[in-house]
Each structure stands twice: as C-alpha cells, then as structure tokens.
Amino acid sequence: MDEGLKIVRWVGSSQRDLQSFPPEVRRDVGHALYAAQKGETDPAAKPLKGFGGHSVMEIVAPFDGNTWRAVYTIRLRDTVYVLHAFQKKSKSGIATPKAEIDLIRQRLAAAVRHYKERLS
C-alpha cells in the first residue's frame, strides 16, 4: 500500500454487494475510493444529504441506463469506511430511498464503534 493512503474497511455486505456490480461500475467506484484514500474527492462523489457536510459521501455511477451507488465515510481520520453499495431502482425522483438511508445510518454507527474499539 502507498504511504499516506487511508485504510479501506467494508461494513456489512458492502464489499460483496459492490462485487456484484458490472465491471465498469466497479472500476468507477474503485477510482473514487482510491481518491478518498488519498484525501481527495473524485468528481463522481458528492456529499450524501442528511449527514451533515462532507463526511458521508455518495459515489454515483450511471451505467447502461441504471444508477449504481456506493456510500462511504471519511469521518474517521485514517480510514475510509465503505458503508453501502446498491443499485438505485426508483424511477421517480433522485432522493435515496428511506430504507437505504436507514441502513447507511446503522452501518455508520457500526463503523464509529469499530473505529473507537481500534483506538482502545
């Protein structure tokens, strides 16, 4: 691993879910996560609404008429926690469905717990 890169940790089924994405989408998400590891923000990443600022980011990867998303947090200093990866299936509106937001909140809490346990 390169010097100065943040560690990537996967929460819940996020890594398995991402692996089920089309190769082109996995590549785009991988580039965005690598940028996050370097402390940068990829153009495909934007703050996820409802989480206050730029600490929870959403990567949006359109492909073949579908929209794929991966959500990560940089809230915890030296680590990028990938919280969720999913295909947005709603055809109306651009908002992330409530069930997905609830899962992201649960996994963010789990990431915070994991991070604090590592420090102790």
Side-chain angles (χ1 to χ4, degrees):
M1 182 163 78
D2 293 350
E3 284 289 319
L5 286 182
K6 296 179 181 188
I7 298 166
V8 174
R9 300 224 183 253
W10 303 86
V11 182
S13 63
S14 59
Q15 186 173 27
R16 183 175 58 247
D17 296 338
L18 180 63
Q19 289 172 340
S20 73
F21 288 9
E24 296 86 352
V25 175
R26 289 195 315 262
R27 183 194 64 233
D28 291 348
V29 170
H31 284 288
L33 290 175
Y34 181 64
Q37 282 185 278
K38 295 189 300 183
E40 301 170 1
T41 302
D42 188 87
K46 62 181 182 173
L48 183 60
K49 290 181 182 169
F51 287 86
H54 288 77
S55 66
V56 176
M57 303 292 287
E58 177 179 45
I59 302 163
V60 179
F63 175 73
D64 199 26
N66 295 302
T67 302
W68 307 82
R69 297 183 179 191
V71 177
Y72 66 92
T73 186
I74 52 173
R75 185 178 290 179
L76 306 164
R77 247 179 64 214
D78 62 346
T79 308
V80 175
Y81 281 91
V82 183
L83 304 173
H84 193 25
F86 62 101
Q87 179 183 4
K88 184 173 181 300
K89 295 184 179 176
S90 171
K91 300 298 180 197
S92 61
I94 60 171
T96 303
K98 183 182 180 322
E100 305 292 356
I101 293 293
D102 291 345
L103 181 59
I104 292 165
R105 287 191 192 286
Q106 290 171 2
R107 289 183 176 178
L108 178 59
V112 169
R113 282 192 305 274
H114 177 268
Y115 185 79
K116 287 180 179 177
E117 287 170 4
R118 280 184 37 222
L119 295 179
S120 345

